[in-house]
Amino acid sequence: MTPVELSRTVLRAVRCAVDGGELRVAVPERVVVTRPRPGGCGDYATNVALQLARPAGQPAQRVAEVLKAHLADVDGIADVSVTGPGFLNISLREGEGVGSAALVEEILRCGARYGFVEQDSSTGGGPGANARRDVRLWCACEVRAVVVGDVVARLLRAQGVSVRTYCAGAVAREWEYVFGVRVEAEVPGGRHSGAGAGSADGGGHSAHSDIQIRPVPAPADPTPLGRDAGRWALLLPAGHDRPRVAGGEGDLHLLQRESNPLFRVRYAHARTRALTRNAADLGFRSRPGAVGGGAAEALVALLADHPRVLARAASLRAPDLLARHLVNVADAVLPLLPTVLPVGEEKPSAAHRARLALAEAAGTVLAGGLSLLGIDAPDHL
């Protein structure tokens, strides 16, 4: 059972509880499952009970117990427990854990859309189930705000949200030409209704559909860095941090060396694509399967966490969360790559095919993530 499948299973449990009258609440469009935090247990955990408690008018622990009853007999689930204020902790049956084969199959099937929220007409739910699915982003008339707004819009759309972007002034032509940003409308003076509904560097959702994008401005013109390095320089720091775009600091994003995180991400992606080509030359293809070893397990955990990272980055309007996640994926896959192809007279085995499939899945996540950031992911580097 992959994290995506488990998320759908928990969502079905919520729907069953609502249909049975045990909970009077709008069914959410998605449930996020993650690795348990300190104090938790099992293979996965979800805070869906805490999210539903207030609208349901019940204590979170009571909501969790209701959902626990619907999950207890599901095939593949060994145990469900409630910890803390109402976290559901789920243990999967042996052989149903973070199965690298099942996860890799899921990623390769979804491609660059792995982690996206697909619209599901069966979600159902009462009034308000689709609330706040239309968002307007209001960007300050500054290059970093416009680039961040562009990526936040991409992230929200990946979560099934309809988004329109606005700018408090005329967008400079070089921003459009170099960074590829677009806005639906320019608002002279930045006046609009619903001001103050959010910020670019964190915070929860507000009751309004208007979100302001106002990160710390760039201290210098980033356009000399070009689209890819310029975007990365503006997006990697958190919204409240100053981006490194001036002088020597900005030039670091152009270096083709290991010390440059963007280079490591793009290099790791290119290496995975090269392995696919080299394997074809050797006469074999990838096939998802079990991959042992600590390095593989760490990579699988990061790939399984990708949907949660996308959801959180969209929720907090924080593209930096995705950028740092891609760096972690790249750093995790690079040590695995030398073991993918046969060496010398060695014949391709099931282990080689499984490692190749895992590497391809990592490359897919890297390419999809870079695309959301508006950065190119070349197959050759």
Side-chain angles (χ1 to χ4, degrees):
M1 183 180 294
T2 68
V4 173
E5 292 169 339
L6 181 58
S7 173
R8 293 170 181 162
T9 298
V10 177
L11 185 60
R12 283 196 294 271
V14 174
R15 190 177 300 122
C16 288
V18 171
D19 291 344
E22 299 168 277
L23 296 176
R24 296 180 61 83
V25 65
V27 178
E29 294 194 1
R30 183 180 186 184
V31 170
V32 176
V33 296
T34 66
R35 290 291 200 171
R37 300 191 177 211
C41 58
D43 297 304
Y44 293 99
T46 177
N47 65 348
V48 65
L50 283 79
Q51 295 174 351
L52 298 179
R54 186 170 183 178
Q58 298 188 41
Q61 288 194 333
R62 166 60 185 159
V63 175
E65 291 293 342
V66 169
L67 298 179
K68 174 182 175 180
H70 286 277
L71 292 168
D73 297 328
V74 173
D75 289 340
I77 293 181
D79 183 57
V80 182
S81 59
V82 180
T83 61
F87 290 98
L88 279 167
N89 291 258
I90 303 170
S91 298
L92 302 181
R93 296 189 186 279
E94 188 172 350
E96 293 285 346
V98 185
S100 59
L103 177 65
V104 167
E105 286 180 0
E106 176 82 9
I107 294 172
L108 296 181
R109 180 182 64 82
C110 294
R113 296 183 66 81
Y114 169 63
F116 284 30
V117 173
E118 305 295 343
Q119 295 300 315
D120 184 358
S121 60
S122 66
T123 297
N130 294 315
R132 284 217 59 212
R133 305 312 292 169
D134 295 304
V135 169
R136 292 181 296 180
L137 297 180
W138 301 89
C139 304
C141 190
E142 184 272 328
V143 61
R144 189 186 186 196
V146 173
V147 170
V148 169
D150 176 74
V151 178
V152 170
R154 294 168 186 246
L155 289 166
L156 287 170
R157 289 173 183 133
Q159 300 301 303
V161 180
S162 176
V163 183
R164 289 179 64 83
T165 56
Y166 300 83
C167 184
V171 176
R173 286 190 175 182
E174 58 266 29
W175 301 353
E176 295 182 344
Y177 178 75
V178 175
F179 298 116
V181 295
R182 296 289 186 273
V183 296
E184 273 73 22
E186 298 167 357
V187 184
R191 295 183 179 180
H192 61 82
S193 61
S199 65
D201 57 358
H205 287 299
S206 70
H208 305 289
S209 60
D210 295 86
I211 297 173
Q212 289 191 62
I213 304 296
R214 291 182 177 274
V216 171
D221 181 12
T223 55
L225 296 176
R227 176 171 299 192
D228 294 334
R231 273 182 170 263
W232 182 265
L234 297 172
L235 297 169
L236 181 62
H240 56 266
D241 291 332
R242 181 183 68 87
R244 300 161 58 186
V245 298
E249 282 191 318
D251 292 341
L252 294 176
H253 300 292
L254 298 170
L255 296 178
Q256 301 292 297
R257 62 179 64 170
E258 189 177 347
S259 60
N260 178 4
L262 174 59
F263 172 74
R264 294 206 304 276
V265 172
R266 300 175 82 192
Y267 174 72
H269 168 264
R271 283 286 308 278
T272 64
R273 295 299 184 251
L275 286 172
T276 299
R277 296 192 297 269
N278 294 339
D281 291 340
L282 294 174
F284 77 99
R285 297 180 179 179
S286 65
R287 180 178 302 165
V291 180
E297 291 176 3
L299 175 58
V300 167
L302 286 168
L303 299 182
D305 202 36
H306 185 66
R308 183 195 67 84
V309 172
L310 293 185
R312 184 169 173 79
S315 174
L316 298 180
R317 284 84 73 186
D320 58 289
L321 297 179
L322 173 57
R324 291 197 295 271
H325 173 66
L326 296 181
V327 175
N328 291 335
V329 171
D331 290 344
V333 72
L334 284 171
L336 178 74
L337 300 185
T339 69
V340 171
L341 298 179
V343 178
E345 299 299 322
E346 190 179 12
K347 299 297 183 182
S349 66
H352 292 113
R353 292 181 174 87
R355 287 194 289 266
L356 177 59
L358 179 56
E360 289 176 342
T364 297
V365 166
L366 293 173
L370 287 172
S371 177
L372 284 172
L373 296 178
I375 296 174
D376 184 39
D379 288 351
H380 301 268
L381 194 63

